[in-house]
């Protein structure tokens, strides 16, 4: 198992980014490595960080403004070589079809449910890290 995993969290709202960090914690599950978070508040920051590489999972806020996480997800899936898996934060369960359109691997609703978020994040980390191994 690698020593740590890197999770990029994108939202224009610092409170949403904090909710994600606090809900998932340092280790979302016992069988995944500890997580280091990178916070981004703008689309250019997300693209710049992904270009550097080393991101294992992205958590994108579908309610972010002006660039919503669904559009950001679709863009990075098209533009970033070997794009990491994406967990999309959606405003309501009925928006799940938009998460599918954006090609996100998973989606959870806002406000963040800590158990649901940690389970989804851990699942994406497991699948991504097993592919890399």
């Amino acid at each position: 198992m690698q020593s740590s995993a890197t999770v990029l969290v994108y939202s224009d709202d610092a409170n949403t980014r904090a909710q994600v960090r606090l809900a998932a914690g340092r280790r979302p599950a016992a069988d995944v490595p500890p997580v280091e978070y990178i916070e981004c508040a703008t689309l250019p920051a997300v693209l710049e960080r992904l270009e550097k590489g080393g991101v294992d999972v992205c958590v994108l806020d579908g309610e972010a403004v002006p660039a919503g996480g669904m559009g950001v997800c679709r863009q990075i899936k098209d533009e970033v070589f070997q794009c990491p898996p994406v967990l999309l934060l959606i405003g309501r369960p009925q928006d799940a079809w938009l998460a599918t359109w954006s090609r996100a691997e998973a989606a959870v609703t806002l406000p963040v449910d800590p158990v649901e978020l940690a389970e989804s994040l851990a699942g994406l980390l497991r699948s991504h890290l097993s592919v890399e191994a």
Side-chain angles (χ1 to χ4, degrees), residues 18-30:
Q19 279 181 30
V20 170
R21 281 192 337 273
L22 293 172
R26 272 288 281 142
R27 196 168 201 159

Side-chain angles (χ1 to χ4, degrees), residues 10-74:
Y10 163 67
S11 178
D12 65 314
D13 184 349
N15 291 326
T16 300
R17 296 191 307 266
Q19 279 181 30
V20 170
R21 281 192 337 273
L22 293 172
R26 272 288 281 142
R27 196 168 201 159
D31 62 337
V32 297
V35 172
E36 294 178 16
Y37 294 98
I38 298 168
E39 293 187 35
C40 296
T42 65
L43 174 58
V46 170
L47 298 175
E48 181 180 318
R49 185 56 188 90
L50 287 174
E51 189 176 299
K52 292 180 183 177
V55 174
D56 295 301
V57 174
C58 295
V59 178
L60 307 177
D61 180 4
E63 305 297 309
V65 230
M70 292 178 208
V72 171
C73 180
R74 188 149 176 112

Side-chain angles (χ1 to χ4, degrees), residues 105-127:
E105 283 77 6
V108 297
T109 56
L110 290 168
V112 172
D113 174 336
V115 173
E116 182 182 20
L117 180 80
E119 287 175 355
S120 294
L121 182 58
L124 292 177
L125 286 168
R126 279 185 209 103
S127 65

